[in-house]
Amino acid sequence: MKGIFVPLVTPFDADGSVALGALSALARDVLDEGAAGLVALGTTGEPATLSEAERAAVVDVCRDACARHGVPLLVGVGGSSTAGTVAAVREIRGDVAMVVVPPYTRPGAAGVLAHLRAVAAGSPVPVVVYHVPYRTGQPLDVTSLLEIAAIPGVVGMKLSDGAVSGDTVAFLGGLPAGFSVLGGDDAVIAPLLAIGAAGGILASAHVATGAFVALAEAWRDGDVGRGRRLGTALAAVSAALFAEPNPAVIKAVLHATGRIPTPDVRLPLLPASAAATSAALRALDRVTAAATTG
């Protein structure tokens, strides 16, 4: 579990159906540019708005693409019910289950740990925990995070808890062998990589995939100058892509660059504004110079 993973959007055709051909092309493109794997049915894929049949079709497309490239497919699962999450992971059709900390119920750290132990024990595949307190409403301290990292069957964490802090440094400094932290807050992926993250699960890597891959490689190889240049440029791209609720701006940029048939999202999300789309395209243009320098 290292490198840059892309949590794919779900593109829609003009009639509102899932554009499976465009999804397949996106998967192929980001993997060809060096992505280490894909995430199906992450938040960026709008899974809550998809039917059961649509979710299954999305997983099938992503699984086929990953199999052709010999890379892992992570599938997003989870919810507020432990029994429901265990049932979901038992039916998973990916290589890794990305399991969100139970949202809404706020069970406390002890409840989160009990939930994840039950899920990992019932999962036929390795588990990556998705810790995103601004969505789940459940913060966790360093001790709790390290206890999660010690659960058998849990091999990594998508860490999306905001700015890099002293707690982040302490967590990354105390990881058990074989456990990977993957940054999930796109704008701060560079400092996370600099202090030891193994990679990232980054919606922004739909665009400039190769530059995000190069960023991870720069920090892995100790090329500090290149890491800083790329990190600065890509942080601006990420900020622009997340200026409005995700994945609206990402979809607008993908549509503007001819990679998906429409920029459409499903309610309750609304399409990106023209101003946000233009700003993101300008930020993307500036990445090219940084990616080709040094």
Side-chain angles (χ1 to χ4, degrees), residues 78-110:
S80 298
S81 165
T82 300
T85 304
V86 170
V89 297
R90 285 177 176 159
E91 301 297 325
I92 202 160
R93 293 178 301 123
D95 303 298
V96 180
M98 190 174 77
V99 178
V100 69
V101 168
Y104 185 70
T105 50
R106 294 175 57 86

Side-chain angles (χ1 to χ4, degrees), residues 8 74 148 157 162 192 248 257 284:
L8 286 179
L74 286 66
I148 290 171
M157 178 178 289
L192 273 176
T257 52
L284 185 58

Side-chain angles (χ1 to χ4, degrees), residues 34-112:
L38 302 176
V39 179
L41 307 183
T43 306
T44 304
E46 303 172 73
T49 71
L50 303 179
S51 69
E52 183 176 348
E54 288 172 331
R55 289 193 292 270
V58 165
V59 171
D60 286 344
V61 168
C62 294
R63 184 176 58 187
D64 288 347
C66 286
R68 286 195 300 271
H69 284 77
V71 297
L73 172 64
L74 286 66
V75 178
V77 296
S80 298
S81 165
T82 300
T85 304
V86 170
V89 297
R90 285 177 176 159
E91 301 297 325
I92 202 160
R93 293 178 301 123
D95 303 298
V96 180
M98 190 174 77
V99 178
V100 69
V101 168
Y104 185 70
T105 50
R106 294 175 57 86
V112 169

Side-chain angles (χ1 to χ4, degrees), residues 176-188:
F179 186 89
S180 298
V181 169
L182 301 169
D185 284 314
D186 298 29
V188 295

